Amino acid sequence: MLFQILVMYIMVFRREVFWTLFYFLIYVNDIARALPGEKLKLFADDTNLFISGIDKTAINNKCNECLETLNNWSSANCLCMNSDKTNFMVFLSGKSNGITVLINGHQIAQVHSSKYIGLYIDDDLKWKNHIEYIYGKLLRLVGIFYKIRNKLPLAVLKTIYFAFVHSHILYGIELYANTGSTHLHKLLTLNNKLLRILQNKPYQSPTKNLYFKYNTLPIPDLHRQQILLFVHKFIHRKHCLPNVFADYFVLNRNVHSHITRGNNDLHVTVVNKNYGKKVSNIKQPSFGMDYLIH
């Protein structure tokens, strides 16, 4: 009798897993067709809809129309949109009052920060929340590093730094380090402190020696290095990048037909706003990266 019960449980479990995977595959492969022409981004089981425009009222109306379409699609496919786990964020200079987003008549909450593929994005794009998130993770290591620095070999301590500190700093650094030095200061100071602890150096020791010994860079320089590597890959190994970056940068020769010395350089778009100057495909060519081409 016990054997029969176990077999039935396993069969039911497998059947539930099968239908779960089946509906998930339908969801991933077909949901983009529900909103053709819209910026619907999928990552595993996370779905994000990006809507842009000039008029706030028009954006609000379009957002509700798209959510109603998605809700109808979900109902037709035996799925349900959870309004409690759905929120929206407004990237808007100035106040965002008057924007109301509904799902089945239920108003969903507006947030000022949201986690997306491991990054905390805030609505003013200053990355303060994500920097605080990394800072909190690294701050826990201070006491641990003090206890182990005299008990482990230097090579092991270096490995520990790259495994538990450098990996958190490096992830998404092309984005979150693209902010003001004021927001990065506390994280940079904490990173210096962790390096000083592991290398057992006094407080007055030059920070450049700490980075040189571990063959790494401070956060601002590491940010520049990573985006330069990205541009190098775009120019010389474009096939290694996702298709979304196929036309991410433009060369001067594709903008005009004049034969100039900078004909093979990356085209730099002139912008006036500070937000525009921080856009990656505008900021990166301005780093003097012509040596990547020649």
Side-chain angles (χ1 to χ4, degrees):
M1 183 66 180
L2 179 62
F3 176 77
Q4 293 179 349
I5 294 175
L6 287 175
V7 171
M8 288 178 60
Y9 172 77
I10 293 173
M11 290 179 63
V12 172
F13 175 76
R14 287 182 176 177
R15 185 174 63 183
E16 291 179 350
V17 171
F18 169 78
W19 284 111
T20 301
L21 293 175
F22 178 75
Y23 279 121
F24 178 73
L25 291 175
I26 293 178
Y27 178 74
V28 169
N29 294 328
D30 191 55
I31 190 172
R33 300 179 184 177
L35 291 173
E38 301 297 336
K39 295 181 179 178
L40 196 67
K41 306 298 181 182
L42 303 175
F43 183 81
D45 59 344
D46 290 335
T47 305
N48 293 267
L49 176 64
F50 295 87
I51 298 175
S52 59
I54 299 176
D55 183 64
K56 184 170 64 175
T57 304
I59 294 176
N60 197 168
N61 295 335
K62 185 177 181 180
C63 182
N64 284 306
E65 291 173 1
C66 290
L67 286 180
E68 184 178 359
T69 303
L70 288 177
N71 187 52
N72 294 335
W73 178 91
S74 300
S75 301
N77 287 277
C78 301
L79 298 172
C80 179
M81 294 181 64
N82 191 338
S83 58
D84 295 331
K85 294 184 178 180
T86 305
N87 51 58
F88 74 97
M89 189 163 48
V90 181
F91 301 94
L92 181 69
S93 57
K95 297 181 179 180
S96 58
N97 296 334
I99 294 182
T100 304
V101 182
L102 305 173
I103 297 179
N104 278 335
H106 299 284
Q107 184 174 348
I108 65 175
Q110 178 180 355
V111 296
H112 299 287
S113 177
S114 181
K115 190 176 183 180
Y116 181 54
I117 55 174
L119 294 172
Y120 284 91
I121 307 174
D122 46 60
D123 53 6
D124 56 2
L125 297 179
K126 294 182 179 178
W127 302 97
K128 293 179 291 185
N129 296 80
H130 186 71
I131 293 172
E132 286 290 340
Y133 170 72
I134 302 176
Y135 183 85
K137 276 186 167 293
L138 301 187
L139 189 62
R140 307 170 191 168
L141 302 174
V142 173
I144 299 174
F145 284 2
Y146 271 120
K147 294 178 181 179
I148 67 173
R149 67 177 180 178
N150 295 319
K151 299 179 180 179
L152 296 175
L154 296 179
V156 175
L157 293 175
K158 181 178 179 180
T159 303
I160 290 175
Y161 170 80
F162 279 94
F164 293 97
V165 180
H166 189 266
S167 59
H168 288 294
I169 293 175
L170 190 64
Y171 180 74
I173 194 172
E174 299 90 343
L175 298 175
Y176 80 82
N178 192 18
T179 185
S181 57
T182 305
H183 304 305
L184 285 173
H185 177 72
K186 63 184 298 183
L187 183 59
L188 179 62
T189 303
L190 179 58
N191 189 36
N192 295 341
K193 182 176 183 177
L194 293 174
L195 286 170
R196 193 175 288 111
I197 294 172
L198 290 177
Q199 298 179 25
N200 207 357
K201 298 293 183 180
Y203 180 78
Q204 296 81 7
S205 58
T207 55
K208 64 178 182 180
N209 294 341
L210 301 175
Y211 289 97
F212 180 78
K213 187 172 183 179
Y214 274 12
N215 193 26
T216 184
L217 294 169
I219 294 175
D221 295 331
L222 197 62
H223 163 70
R224 298 186 186 96
Q225 181 196 49
Q226 290 302 309
I227 61 177
L228 287 173
L229 290 174
F230 171 71
V231 176
H232 183 273
K233 185 178 291 187
F234 175 85
I235 296 170
H236 298 288
R237 293 189 298 160
K238 189 183 292 187
H239 62 278
C240 297
L241 293 174
N243 293 332
V244 68
F245 296 112
D247 301 320
Y248 199 66
F249 299 107
V250 179
L251 300 180
N252 286 331
R253 65 170 178 261
N254 296 327
V255 177
H256 57 77
S257 58
H258 308 295
I259 301 177
T260 60
R261 286 179 296 178
N263 203 32
N264 292 323
D265 292 347
L266 297 177
H267 180 69
V268 180
T269 304
V270 179
V271 294
N272 297 322
K273 300 289 185 179
N274 289 329
Y275 280 121
K277 293 177 181 178
K278 291 183 178 181
V279 175
S280 56
N281 59 347
I282 294 177
K283 177 181 180 179
Q284 293 169 2
S286 64
F287 273 153
M289 295 178 283
D290 55 330
Y291 70 92
L292 291 170
I293 301 177
H294 301 295

